[in-house]
Amino acid sequence: LLEGAREHALPTLALNAPAELTREIGRNGLEALDAAQLAQVPELVLDDAEHRAFIFSLFGVLPEQAAEFGLENVYVAQTTWDETMAETAARWLRHRVPGRQLVILAGSGHCRADGIPSRITRRVHAKVSSVRPVVLGENESPCEHLDGYDYAFVMEKDG
């Protein structure tokens, strides 16, 4: 994809948060950051119940169990990652001609509607859609894979 973008002179944009930043937050929390690191942290919304439930479900715990399992800092790191990608994308969109579009390729958890998309919308008040690629098995419905996404890009399993 990057080679194709380069070949057609299409702009590309790296969205990721610095790994050192998210790693430090995940291990020791926001309070462990120095002033330079704190300056890299975008506006964080940490009280989205649906997002919290999804992230903690990945660890097999309920949101109210996060502190007990030492996962609150992990959640803040994950949110920092999503918020950084959203902030970078929003900044890019603000400086483009109206009508410009941006396609973000990221992990499925980041691309859920409550991940990067809602955080971009909060910043630029633009329509953002989340799309999940799905390879369907036999007797599966695309609807089974839509939880948290606006659309599914459906492919059939070969053979």
Side-chain angles (χ1 to χ4, degrees), residues 98-132:
R100 273 283 172 93
Q101 296 178 355
L102 177 64
V103 174
I104 296 174
L105 303 174
S108 61
H110 296 294
C111 291
R112 284 174 46 95
D114 57 9
I116 299 169
S118 67
R119 297 166 197 281
I120 292 173
T121 298
R122 188 178 82 237
R123 288 170 166 85
V124 296
H125 309 290
K127 170 74 173 124
V128 179
S129 297
S130 60
V131 181
R132 181 178 186 183

Side-chain angles (χ1 to χ4, degrees), residues 12 16-17 19 24-25 35 41 46 50 64 66-67 108 120 123 147:
T12 57
N16 228 342
E24 180 66 19
I25 294 169
V41 177
L46 299 169
E50 186 176 337
E64 54 271 17
S108 61
I120 292 173
R123 288 170 166 85
D147 185 37

Side-chain angles (χ1 to χ4, degrees), residues 1-32:
L1 289 172
L2 291 174
E3 288 175 8
R6 187 178 304 123
E7 182 179 315
H8 296 314
L10 297 172
T12 57
L13 179 65
L15 301 179
N16 228 342
E20 305 79 29
L21 180 66
T22 55
R23 190 177 307 115
E24 180 66 19
I25 294 169
R27 289 182 181 151
N28 302 307
L30 288 170
E31 53 281 345

